Amino acid sequence: QVQVVESGGGLVQVGGSLKLSCAVSGSSVSSGYMGWYRQTPGKQREAVAVMYGEVTNYADSVKGRFTISRDNAKNMLFLQMNSLKPEDTAVYYCTIRTGVTLRWGQGTQVTVSS
């Protein structure tokens, strides 16, 4: 059974930084598709930073500010978020694909206050 658990969200001021963590069990983060998405009320969930193998892709809105990384030994995925803006406020979800299915965590709230 695949489990995905995010942590690290919170309240931060504009220009601040947060690092989100995602612990995965039941599947390996060493390969395949995985990443971070976010969602705000009334909007669709959007991809923020994803990786497939060694290839990473970022939403235009976070390029240069967010960095996705992983620790294969700990089987964890991370999202370093710098220079945060109010529009980054959202629930952030970690996901990993197993077979044809995306497995999601419960999400972690990030709130950027001005």
XYZ file of all heavy atoms in Angstrom:
859
model
N 0.847 -1.192 0.000
C 0.000 0.000 0.000
C 0.883 1.242 0.000
O 1.767 1.384 0.814
C -0.897 0.008 1.229
C -1.865 1.168 1.276
C -2.765 1.124 2.504
O -2.658 0.218 3.319
N -3.610 2.104 2.637
N 0.608 2.138 -0.946
C 1.397 3.354 -1.076
C 0.828 4.429 -0.145
O -0.365 4.683 -0.130
C 1.392 3.864 -2.521
C 2.187 5.167 -2.629
C 1.963 2.808 -3.452
N 1.715 5.036 0.607
C 1.311 6.148 1.464
C 2.197 7.355 1.176
O 3.410 7.218 0.991
C 1.399 5.772 2.935
C 0.327 4.777 3.377
C 0.279 4.590 4.880
O 1.308 4.591 5.537
N -0.928 4.451 5.411
N 1.562 8.515 1.165
C 2.245 9.773 0.884
C 1.861 10.758 1.974
O 0.674 11.000 2.192
C 1.829 10.324 -0.496
C 2.520 11.661 -0.775
C 2.143 9.317 -1.592
N 2.846 11.293 2.661
C 2.563 12.174 3.791
C 3.399 13.446 3.661
O 4.627 13.395 3.706
C 2.861 11.489 5.135
C 2.548 12.452 6.282
C 2.049 10.209 5.281
N 2.701 14.575 3.514
C 3.388 15.864 3.413
C 3.545 16.501 4.797
O 2.746 16.252 5.701
C 2.607 16.844 2.535
C 2.298 16.383 1.141
C 0.912 15.793 1.013
O 0.368 15.338 2.053
O 0.363 15.779 -0.097
N 4.543 17.358 4.892
C 4.735 18.158 6.106
C 5.523 19.407 5.741
O 6.100 19.493 4.651
C 5.471 17.356 7.180
O 6.745 16.971 6.726
N 5.526 20.356 6.659
C 6.356 21.544 6.464
C 5.619 22.805 6.095
O 6.228 23.869 5.988
N 4.309 22.704 5.895
C 3.561 23.909 5.573
C 3.446 24.822 6.783
O 3.843 24.479 7.896
N 2.913 26.010 6.538
C 2.739 26.946 7.639
C 2.498 28.345 7.146
O 2.217 28.573 5.963
N 2.622 29.292 8.067
C 2.422 30.697 7.775
C 3.774 31.380 7.644
O 4.644 31.234 8.519
C 1.618 31.348 8.898
C 1.386 32.856 8.818
C 0.544 33.196 7.599
C 0.710 33.338 10.105
N 3.956 32.117 6.574
C 5.233 32.798 6.339
C 4.952 34.167 5.731
O 3.934 34.356 5.048
C 6.128 31.944 5.414
C 5.516 31.786 4.041
C 7.534 32.500 5.329
N 5.844 35.097 5.974
C 5.671 36.433 5.415
C 6.162 36.486 3.980
O 6.971 35.648 3.544
C 6.423 37.452 6.269
C 5.800 37.672 7.637
C 6.448 38.812 8.391
O 7.625 39.097 8.203
N 5.679 39.473 9.249
N 5.691 37.473 3.276
C 6.135 37.683 1.898
C 7.665 37.770 1.858
O 8.281 38.446 2.690
C 5.518 38.967 1.321
C 6.176 39.334 -0.001
C 4.022 38.802 1.117
N 8.238 37.054 0.903
C 9.688 37.036 0.758
C 10.376 35.955 1.555
O 11.583 35.732 1.390
N 9.620 35.284 2.383
C 10.178 34.231 3.216
C 10.338 32.914 2.482
O 10.059 32.815 1.278
N 10.766 31.906 3.231
C 11.020 30.586 2.657
C 10.365 29.498 3.490
O 10.167 29.659 4.703
C 12.530 30.322 2.601
O 13.192 31.249 1.777
N 10.027 28.417 2.828
C 9.535 27.208 3.480
C 10.073 26.016 2.713
O 10.290 26.106 1.493
C 8.013 27.148 3.473
C 7.215 27.886 4.549
C 5.728 27.736 4.276
C 7.568 27.405 5.932
N 10.248 24.916 3.422
C 10.637 23.668 2.755
C 9.605 22.613 3.103
O 9.407 22.270 4.268
C 12.017 23.209 3.189
C 12.511 21.994 2.420
C 13.945 21.644 2.767
C 14.471 20.482 1.931
N 15.884 20.167 2.232
N 8.949 22.131 2.066
C 7.982 21.058 2.244
C 8.668 19.711 2.096
O 9.575 19.558 1.270
C 6.854 21.178 1.221
C 6.108 22.503 1.191
C 4.968 22.425 0.159
C 5.593 22.894 2.537
N 8.199 18.757 2.880
C 8.730 17.404 2.813
C 7.608 16.431 2.512
O 6.453 16.662 2.884
C 9.384 17.018 4.141
O 10.451 17.885 4.461
N 7.965 15.344 1.860
C 6.991 14.322 1.507
C 7.625 12.963 1.752
O 8.602 12.604 1.092
C 6.592 14.477 0.050
S 5.506 13.178 -0.583
N 7.079 12.241 2.706
C 7.552 10.893 2.999
C 6.694 9.890 2.240
O 5.461 9.924 2.339
C 7.475 10.629 4.493
N 7.346 9.022 1.493
C 6.650 8.038 0.677
C 6.975 6.640 1.184
O 8.137 6.324 1.450
C 7.049 8.165 -0.801
C 6.340 7.104 -1.642
C 6.729 9.555 -1.328
N 5.971 5.813 1.297
C 6.178 4.405 1.613
C 5.391 3.572 0.628
O 4.349 3.992 0.124
C 5.747 4.098 3.052
O 4.382 4.403 3.246
N 5.910 2.401 0.327
C 5.241 1.500 -0.605
C 5.597 1.730 -2.050
O 5.116 0.999 -2.930
N 6.408 2.731 -2.332
C 6.873 3.002 -3.687
C 8.177 3.780 -3.566
O 8.395 4.486 -2.580
C 5.834 3.817 -4.457
O 6.242 4.006 -5.800
N 9.020 3.657 -4.581
C 10.327 4.308 -4.524
C 10.306 5.653 -5.240
O 9.721 5.796 -6.311
C 11.378 3.410 -5.171
O 12.614 4.086 -5.264
N 10.989 6.635 -4.643
C 11.108 7.945 -5.277
C 12.337 8.003 -6.185
O 12.632 9.059 -6.750
C 11.182 9.080 -4.225
C 9.969 9.056 -3.321
C 12.474 9.026 -3.432
N 13.046 6.902 -6.331
C 14.285 6.940 -7.109
C 14.048 7.018 -8.611
O 14.965 7.361 -9.369
C 15.150 5.711 -6.801
O 14.466 4.536 -7.169
N 12.820 6.739 -9.033
C 12.532 6.807 -10.460
C 11.035 7.014 -10.657
O 10.247 6.904 -9.716
C 12.984 5.532 -11.169
O 12.259 4.422 -10.678
N 10.689 7.332 -11.888
C 9.282 7.514 -12.183
C 8.827 8.959 -12.030
O 9.631 9.879 -11.828
N 7.528 9.134 -12.103
C 6.933 10.473 -12.070
C 6.490 10.814 -10.656
O 5.813 10.027 -9.987
C 5.721 10.521 -13.004
C 5.009 11.848 -13.010
C 5.395 12.869 -13.869
C 3.934 12.085 -12.144
C 4.734 14.085 -13.871
C 3.261 13.300 -12.146
C 3.671 14.301 -13.006
O 3.016 15.501 -13.001
N 6.848 12.023 -10.221
C 6.433 12.486 -8.896
C 6.525 14.004 -8.875
O 7.122 14.614 -9.774
C 7.336 11.907 -7.811
C 8.789 12.359 -7.889
S 9.907 11.196 -7.112
C 9.932 9.885 -8.321
N 5.907 14.603 -7.886
C 6.021 16.038 -7.820
C 5.102 16.689 -6.818
O 4.506 16.020 -5.968
N 5.017 17.997 -6.964
C 4.211 18.826 -6.076
C 3.167 19.576 -6.883
O 3.484 20.157 -7.917
C 5.099 19.817 -5.333
C 6.018 19.172 -4.349
C 7.298 18.746 -4.577
C 5.726 18.887 -2.981
N 7.823 18.201 -3.425
C 6.875 18.277 -2.436
C 4.624 19.083 -2.164
C 6.937 17.865 -1.103
C 4.685 18.675 -0.847
C 5.822 18.078 -0.326
N 1.943 19.580 -6.384
C 0.841 20.331 -6.954
C 0.282 21.239 -5.861
O 0.565 21.051 -4.676
C -0.269 19.391 -7.432
C 0.032 18.610 -8.685
C 1.092 17.713 -8.763
C -0.773 18.756 -9.815
C 1.352 16.994 -9.923
C -0.528 18.035 -10.979
C 0.523 17.156 -11.014
O 0.773 16.448 -12.167
N -0.516 22.209 -6.275
C -1.181 23.047 -5.286
C -2.587 23.374 -5.739
O -2.901 23.312 -6.931
C -0.390 24.333 -5.017
C -0.318 25.301 -6.182
C 0.638 26.452 -5.847
N 0.736 27.409 -6.949
C 1.617 28.401 -6.975
N 2.492 28.575 -5.977
N 1.633 29.227 -8.012
N -3.411 23.733 -4.759
C -4.813 24.020 -5.061
C -5.330 25.095 -4.118
O -5.053 25.072 -2.913
C -5.659 22.746 -4.924
C -7.083 22.879 -5.408
C -7.785 21.542 -5.464
O -7.413 20.586 -4.781
N -8.815 21.456 -6.296
N -6.081 26.017 -4.694
C -6.778 27.039 -3.913
C -8.277 26.845 -4.107
O -8.703 26.230 -5.100
C -6.369 28.448 -4.356
O -6.555 28.582 -5.763
C -4.910 28.718 -4.015
N -9.082 27.336 -3.179
C -10.533 27.125 -3.265
C -11.108 27.594 -4.597
O -10.814 28.698 -5.060
C -11.078 27.950 -2.103
C -9.973 27.961 -1.112
C -8.712 28.033 -1.932
N -11.897 26.732 -5.206
C -12.567 27.076 -6.451
C -11.722 26.920 -7.694
O -12.185 27.189 -8.801
N -10.473 26.486 -7.518
C -9.593 26.317 -8.666
C -9.143 24.874 -8.786
O -9.147 24.119 -7.818
C -8.384 27.242 -8.542
C -8.720 28.723 -8.661
C -7.464 29.553 -8.760
C -7.782 31.022 -8.965
N -6.547 31.847 -9.078
N -8.719 24.526 -9.989
C -8.207 23.186 -10.207
C -6.813 23.041 -9.606
O -6.061 24.013 -9.496
C -8.142 22.889 -11.720
C -9.483 22.605 -12.353
C -9.349 22.063 -13.766
O -8.407 22.426 -14.484
N -10.254 21.213 -14.177
N -6.506 21.824 -9.239
C -5.164 21.540 -8.747
C -4.181 21.729 -9.902
O -4.417 21.257 -11.007
C -5.113 20.112 -8.206
C -3.914 19.784 -7.364
C -4.092 18.420 -6.703
N -5.198 18.400 -5.755
C -5.476 17.364 -4.971
N -4.714 16.282 -5.004
N -6.506 17.415 -4.142
N -3.070 22.422 -9.612
C -2.103 22.693 -10.660
C -0.728 22.154 -10.275
O -0.347 22.158 -9.093
C -1.989 24.201 -10.930
C -1.501 25.019 -9.753
C -1.200 26.470 -10.116
O -1.294 26.831 -11.303
O -0.868 27.231 -9.199
N 0.006 21.732 -11.288
C 1.361 21.256 -11.059
C 2.287 22.432 -10.776
O 2.253 23.441 -11.480
C 1.864 20.480 -12.257
N 3.075 22.297 -9.739
C 4.028 23.334 -9.358
C 5.440 22.930 -9.774
O 6.146 23.702 -10.405
C 3.975 23.571 -7.837
C 5.072 24.541 -7.409
C 2.605 24.067 -7.415
N 5.818 21.723 -9.397
C 7.148 21.221 -9.719
C 7.057 19.705 -9.805
O 6.571 19.079 -8.874
C 8.158 21.630 -8.659
N 7.496 19.164 -10.919
C 7.416 17.718 -11.106
C 8.754 17.205 -11.620
O 9.545 17.950 -12.192
C 6.289 17.316 -12.079
C 4.937 17.748 -11.533
C 6.520 17.905 -13.459
N 8.987 15.936 -11.371
C 10.188 15.316 -11.896
C 9.874 13.936 -12.432
O 9.002 13.238 -11.910
C 11.301 15.272 -10.835
C 11.014 14.488 -9.604
S 12.244 14.747 -8.259
C 13.733 15.142 -9.093
N 10.576 13.610 -13.511
C 10.465 12.284 -14.112
C 11.878 11.832 -14.390
O 12.530 12.351 -15.291
C 9.615 12.331 -15.378
C 9.317 10.957 -15.918
C 8.286 10.198 -15.398
C 10.083 10.417 -16.947
C 8.017 8.929 -15.863
C 9.819 9.146 -17.427
C 8.778 8.407 -16.889
O 8.512 7.153 -17.354
N 12.332 10.883 -13.598
C 13.739 10.515 -13.683
C 14.576 11.691 -13.221
O 14.382 12.197 -12.117
N 15.453 12.148 -14.086
C 16.319 13.272 -13.752
C 15.810 14.583 -14.330
O 16.428 15.629 -14.174
C 17.740 13.019 -14.257
C 18.395 11.790 -13.651
C 18.479 11.863 -12.142
O 18.766 12.957 -11.605
O 18.242 10.828 -11.489
N 14.687 14.538 -14.993
C 14.130 15.728 -15.626
C 13.145 16.403 -14.675
O 12.283 15.742 -14.091
C 13.410 15.364 -16.935
C 12.785 16.609 -17.567
C 14.383 14.704 -17.899
N 13.292 17.703 -14.522
C 12.373 18.461 -13.675
C 11.677 19.532 -14.500
O 12.241 20.057 -15.461
C 13.109 19.134 -12.505
O 14.125 20.001 -13.032
C 13.758 18.094 -11.602
N 10.461 19.837 -14.109
C 9.704 20.901 -14.760
C 8.999 21.733 -13.703
O 8.495 21.196 -12.717
C 8.664 20.327 -15.726
C 9.268 19.967 -17.058
O 9.706 20.836 -17.805
N 9.291 18.688 -17.370
N 8.971 23.025 -13.940
C 8.359 23.958 -12.999
C 7.291 24.794 -13.687
O 7.423 25.149 -14.859
C 9.405 24.895 -12.410
C 10.470 24.201 -11.585
C 11.639 23.741 -12.170
C 10.289 23.997 -10.216
C 12.612 23.092 -11.413
C 11.257 23.360 -9.450
C 12.411 22.909 -10.058
O 13.371 22.269 -9.302
N 6.272 25.138 -12.925
C 5.306 26.114 -13.425
C 6.031 27.440 -13.623
O 6.941 27.779 -12.853
C 4.166 26.269 -12.429
N 5.623 28.187 -14.624
C 6.268 29.475 -14.906
C 6.238 30.392 -13.687
O 7.176 31.153 -13.447
C 5.589 30.160 -16.083
C 5.911 29.493 -17.408
O 6.889 28.716 -17.470
O 5.180 29.735 -18.383
N 5.180 30.285 -12.926
C 4.997 31.193 -11.791
C 5.978 30.945 -10.647
O 6.136 31.809 -9.773
C 3.571 31.081 -11.259
O 3.295 29.748 -10.847
N 6.652 29.786 -10.659
C 7.565 29.484 -9.544
C 9.010 29.299 -9.999
O 9.889 29.079 -9.169
C 7.108 28.233 -8.760
C 5.656 28.391 -8.319
C 7.300 26.961 -9.571
N 9.244 29.364 -11.299
C 10.602 29.171 -11.807
C 11.570 30.171 -11.177
O 11.275 31.361 -11.070
C 10.623 29.323 -13.332
C 10.146 28.104 -14.081
C 10.210 28.304 -15.596
C 9.696 27.090 -16.335
N 9.652 27.298 -17.794
N 12.702 29.646 -10.747
C 13.701 30.500 -10.121
C 13.480 30.705 -8.631
O 14.354 31.246 -7.940
N 12.315 30.281 -8.131
C 12.022 30.449 -6.703
C 11.865 29.112 -5.973
O 12.220 29.001 -4.800
C 10.733 31.265 -6.520
C 10.798 32.658 -7.129
C 9.577 33.481 -6.742
N 8.332 32.919 -7.242
C 7.317 32.540 -6.465
N 7.392 32.672 -5.149
N 6.200 32.057 -7.008
N 11.312 28.122 -6.665
C 11.062 26.813 -6.052
C 12.053 25.793 -6.619
O 12.412 25.858 -7.796
C 9.654 26.334 -6.345
C 8.558 27.096 -5.635
C 8.804 28.295 -4.978
C 7.258 26.598 -5.640
C 7.793 28.986 -4.343
C 6.241 27.273 -4.999
C 6.504 28.476 -4.356
N 12.421 24.840 -5.783
C 13.298 23.759 -6.215
C 12.786 22.437 -5.680
O 12.580 22.292 -4.472
C 14.732 23.978 -5.720
O 15.221 25.250 -6.179
C 15.649 22.874 -6.253
N 12.601 21.486 -6.582
C 12.187 20.151 -6.188
C 13.423 19.274 -6.077
O 14.367 19.400 -6.870
C 11.176 19.552 -7.205
C 10.622 18.223 -6.709
C 11.789 19.424 -8.588
C 9.487 17.681 -7.565
N 13.428 18.399 -5.078
C 14.552 17.486 -4.905
C 14.057 16.230 -4.216
O 12.915 16.177 -3.733
C 15.661 18.146 -4.079
O 15.202 18.437 -2.771
N 14.913 15.239 -4.177
C 14.539 13.991 -3.516
C 15.746 13.397 -2.818
O 16.892 13.690 -3.157
C 13.972 12.987 -4.528
C 14.983 12.518 -5.548
C 14.325 11.656 -6.610
N 15.290 11.302 -7.647
C 14.947 10.951 -8.867
N 13.677 10.899 -9.220
N 15.885 10.645 -9.736
N 15.450 12.579 -1.837
C 16.473 11.819 -1.119
C 16.113 10.350 -1.281
O 15.176 9.854 -0.643
C 16.486 12.230 0.359
C 17.611 11.577 1.136
O 17.937 10.408 0.841
O 18.140 12.211 2.049
N 16.821 9.674 -2.144
C 16.493 8.272 -2.433
C 16.686 7.386 -1.206
O 15.916 6.449 -0.985
C 17.347 7.761 -3.587
C 17.005 8.411 -4.904
O 15.926 8.991 -5.061
N 17.925 8.368 -5.847
N 17.681 7.677 -0.413
C 17.952 6.854 0.766
C 16.816 6.949 1.791
O 16.444 5.960 2.421
C 19.269 7.273 1.402
N 16.257 8.145 1.926
C 15.159 8.342 2.884
C 13.799 8.154 2.233
O 12.776 8.187 2.924
C 15.245 9.738 3.501
C 16.483 9.960 4.348
C 16.482 11.354 4.967
C 17.708 11.565 5.845
N 17.742 12.933 6.439
N 13.803 7.996 0.909
C 12.554 7.864 0.129
C 11.631 9.057 0.374
O 10.442 8.908 0.693
C 11.828 6.560 0.461
C 11.112 5.991 -0.748
O 11.637 6.034 -1.863
N 9.922 5.472 -0.536
N 12.217 10.222 0.220
C 11.474 11.455 0.456
C 11.627 12.426 -0.703
O 12.633 12.425 -1.415
C 11.950 12.133 1.747
C 11.654 11.341 3.003
S 12.087 12.224 4.501
C 10.813 13.492 4.532
N 10.622 13.254 -0.854
C 10.590 14.301 -1.865
C 10.486 15.636 -1.137
O 9.854 15.720 -0.085
C 9.377 14.095 -2.769
C 9.276 14.872 -4.062
C 10.392 14.445 -5.022
C 7.919 14.638 -4.705
N 11.110 16.671 -1.706
C 11.127 17.965 -1.053
C 10.753 19.072 -2.040
O 10.913 18.922 -3.246
C 12.516 18.271 -0.478
C 13.020 17.235 0.479
C 13.889 16.245 0.041
C 12.620 17.234 1.800
C 14.357 15.278 0.910
C 13.077 16.265 2.686
C 13.949 15.287 2.232
N 10.267 20.173 -1.476
C 10.042 21.375 -2.278
C 10.551 22.559 -1.475
O 9.960 22.925 -0.458
C 8.561 21.552 -2.613
C 8.263 22.730 -3.538
C 8.847 22.476 -4.943
C 6.756 22.986 -3.645
N 11.664 23.127 -1.926
C 12.202 24.328 -1.312
C 11.552 25.528 -1.978
O 11.651 25.687 -3.195
C 13.717 24.395 -1.476
C 14.356 25.662 -0.913
C 14.237 25.750 0.597
O 14.531 24.784 1.301
N 13.827 26.907 1.104
N 10.901 26.359 -1.180
C 10.180 27.513 -1.706
C 10.793 28.786 -1.142
O 10.793 28.988 0.075
C 8.695 27.428 -1.331
C 8.032 26.140 -1.762
S 6.257 26.118 -1.439
C 6.248 26.154 0.341
N 11.325 29.607 -2.022
C 11.953 30.866 -1.630
C 11.196 32.049 -2.230
O 10.401 31.877 -3.162
C 13.407 30.899 -2.090
C 14.251 29.805 -1.485
O 14.046 29.386 -0.333
N 15.224 29.317 -2.242
N 11.451 33.210 -1.695
C 10.835 34.448 -2.204
C 9.324 34.282 -2.356
O 8.750 34.597 -3.398
C 11.463 34.834 -3.549
O 12.851 35.013 -3.420
N 8.714 33.788 -1.321
C 7.284 33.468 -1.394
C 6.434 34.715 -1.567
O 6.743 35.795 -1.044
C 6.865 32.696 -0.148
C 7.289 31.226 -0.159
C 7.267 30.628 1.231
C 6.400 30.426 -1.105
N 5.364 34.541 -2.321
C 4.427 35.612 -2.636
C 3.035 35.247 -2.121
O 2.737 34.061 -1.946
C 4.362 35.817 -4.155
C 5.697 36.089 -4.822
C 5.535 36.156 -6.333
C 6.857 36.415 -7.024
N 6.710 36.494 -8.506
N 2.177 36.245 -1.925
C 0.817 35.931 -1.465
C 0.101 34.948 -2.394
O -0.674 34.107 -1.924
C 0.129 37.300 -1.464
C 1.230 38.273 -1.228
C 2.415 37.705 -1.950
N 0.371 35.029 -3.688
C -0.288 34.128 -4.634
C 0.212 32.693 -4.543
O -0.334 31.803 -5.197
C -0.133 34.642 -6.071
C 1.283 34.977 -6.486
C 1.607 36.456 -6.321
O 1.207 37.054 -5.287
O 2.278 37.008 -7.220
N 1.221 32.442 -3.734
C 1.657 31.068 -3.491
C 0.821 30.390 -2.416
O 0.971 29.191 -2.165
C 3.132 31.044 -3.059
C 4.068 31.516 -4.147
O 3.860 31.143 -5.315
O 5.028 32.262 -3.831
N -0.043 31.152 -1.769
C -0.915 30.586 -0.741
C -1.812 29.518 -1.348
O -2.519 29.768 -2.335
C -1.776 31.688 -0.105
O -0.910 32.599 0.589
C -2.781 31.096 0.871
N -1.783 28.319 -0.775
C -2.537 27.188 -1.309
C -2.314 25.977 -0.405
O -1.463 26.003 0.488
C -2.082 26.856 -2.733
N -3.067 24.943 -0.683
C -2.764 23.632 -0.121
C -1.845 22.931 -1.109
O -2.161 22.845 -2.296
C -4.038 22.802 0.118
C -3.660 21.421 0.659
C -4.957 23.516 1.101
N -0.730 22.473 -0.618
C 0.263 21.810 -1.458
C 0.177 20.307 -1.258
O 0.156 19.812 -0.127
C 1.657 22.317 -1.118
C 1.922 23.691 -1.671
C 1.298 24.810 -1.130
C 2.770 23.878 -2.758
C 1.507 26.079 -1.652
C 3.001 25.144 -3.284
C 2.364 26.231 -2.724
O 2.585 27.478 -3.253
N 0.146 19.602 -2.386
C 0.025 18.152 -2.380
C 1.248 17.517 -3.029
O 1.719 17.964 -4.076
C -1.208 17.717 -3.157
C -2.523 18.171 -2.562
C -3.082 19.386 -2.943
C -3.200 17.388 -1.629
C -4.288 19.811 -2.412
C -4.411 17.805 -1.095
C -4.946 19.019 -1.492
O -6.140 19.428 -0.963
N 1.689 16.447 -2.422
C 2.746 15.614 -2.990
C 2.082 14.447 -3.718
O 1.049 13.933 -3.262
C 3.643 15.106 -1.873
S 4.955 13.987 -2.369
N 2.670 14.057 -4.829
C 2.122 12.933 -5.567
C 3.228 12.077 -6.151
O 4.306 12.577 -6.481
C 1.179 13.403 -6.688
O 0.513 12.280 -7.257
C 1.934 14.147 -7.781
N 2.940 10.800 -6.288
C 3.845 9.877 -6.942
C 2.994 8.925 -7.766
O 1.910 8.524 -7.347
C 4.729 9.112 -5.926
C 5.752 8.239 -6.650
C 3.890 8.297 -4.956
C 6.848 7.699 -5.743
N 3.472 8.618 -8.965
C 2.704 7.733 -9.835
C 3.173 6.302 -9.662
O 4.374 6.014 -9.734
C 2.845 8.155 -11.292
C 1.927 7.377 -12.245
C 1.916 7.996 -13.619
N 3.203 7.912 -14.273
C 3.542 8.609 -15.353
N 2.689 9.473 -15.863
N 4.729 8.459 -15.887
N 2.229 5.433 -9.432
C 2.505 4.003 -9.381
C 1.627 3.336 -10.437
O 0.401 3.429 -10.389
C 2.196 3.414 -7.995
O 0.816 3.651 -7.678
C 3.055 4.064 -6.933
N 2.267 2.719 -11.432
C 1.506 2.193 -12.559
C 0.886 3.357 -13.309
O 1.595 4.238 -13.798
N -0.428 3.394 -13.398
C -1.125 4.490 -14.080
C -1.854 5.394 -13.097
O -2.625 6.276 -13.483
C -2.125 3.942 -15.128
C -1.383 3.178 -16.216
C -3.170 3.064 -14.445
N -1.614 5.188 -11.824
C -2.353 5.900 -10.785
C -1.469 6.898 -10.047
O -0.350 6.574 -9.639
C -2.922 4.899 -9.762
O -3.737 3.946 -10.439
C -3.763 5.617 -8.712
N -1.974 8.104 -9.876
C -1.299 9.090 -9.034
C -1.768 8.904 -7.593
O -2.963 8.891 -7.316
C -1.616 10.507 -9.500
C -0.936 10.997 -10.771
C -1.428 12.386 -11.141
C 0.574 10.988 -10.614
N -0.806 8.775 -6.713
C -1.102 8.643 -5.292
C -0.874 10.005 -4.634
O 0.170 10.630 -4.856
C -0.193 7.607 -4.635
C -0.153 6.280 -5.377
C -1.424 5.486 -5.221
N -1.334 4.170 -5.881
C -2.266 3.250 -5.818
N -3.380 3.468 -5.129
N -2.096 2.103 -6.448
N -1.806 10.444 -3.839
C -1.752 11.775 -3.242
C -1.659 11.720 -1.723
O -2.210 10.825 -1.088
C -3.006 12.561 -3.611
C -3.192 12.768 -5.071
C -3.897 11.979 -5.928
C -2.648 13.835 -5.865
N -3.823 12.492 -7.197
C -3.080 13.631 -7.190
C -1.843 14.946 -5.578
C -2.737 14.489 -8.233
C -1.518 15.808 -6.615
C -1.953 15.574 -7.923
N -1.002 12.724 -1.179
C -1.041 12.911 0.249
C -2.264 13.729 0.636
O -3.091 14.078 -0.204
N -2.335 14.053 1.912
C -3.493 14.780 2.428
C -3.358 16.276 2.222
O -4.336 17.018 2.380
C -3.679 14.481 3.924
C -2.757 15.254 4.864
C -1.307 14.810 4.825
O -0.967 13.787 4.208
N -0.440 15.569 5.481
N -2.172 16.724 1.867
C -1.940 18.142 1.613
C -1.438 18.871 2.838
O -1.686 18.458 3.986
N -0.731 19.952 2.594
C -0.250 20.804 3.677
C -0.477 22.259 3.283
O -0.189 22.658 2.153
C 1.233 20.526 3.993
O 1.635 21.276 5.137
C 2.157 20.848 2.826
N -1.022 23.031 4.203
C -1.390 24.411 3.920
C -0.174 25.323 3.980
O 0.590 25.287 4.951
C -2.439 24.906 4.916
C -2.832 26.362 4.766
C -3.653 26.629 3.526
O -4.594 25.886 3.218
N -3.305 27.684 2.795
N -0.028 26.135 2.957
C 0.989 27.187 2.937
C 0.263 28.524 2.820
O -0.526 28.720 1.890
C 1.969 27.009 1.768
C 2.898 28.226 1.657
C 2.784 25.742 1.953
N 0.516 29.409 3.756
C -0.108 30.721 3.743
C 0.981 31.785 3.775
O 1.821 31.785 4.674
C -1.048 30.901 4.938
O -2.045 29.874 4.910
C -1.737 32.262 4.883
N 0.956 32.653 2.771
C 1.942 33.732 2.681
C 1.229 35.033 2.991
O 0.317 35.434 2.270
C 2.585 33.777 1.290
C 3.691 34.847 1.260
C 3.159 32.421 0.915
N 1.641 35.669 4.053
C 0.963 36.887 4.486
C 1.740 38.117 4.067
O 2.973 38.134 4.038
C 0.811 36.882 6.012
O 2.073 36.991 6.632
N 0.987 39.149 3.740
C 1.610 40.412 3.357
C 1.465 41.429 4.494
O 1.987 42.511 4.413
C 0.968 40.952 2.081
O -0.429 41.055 2.238
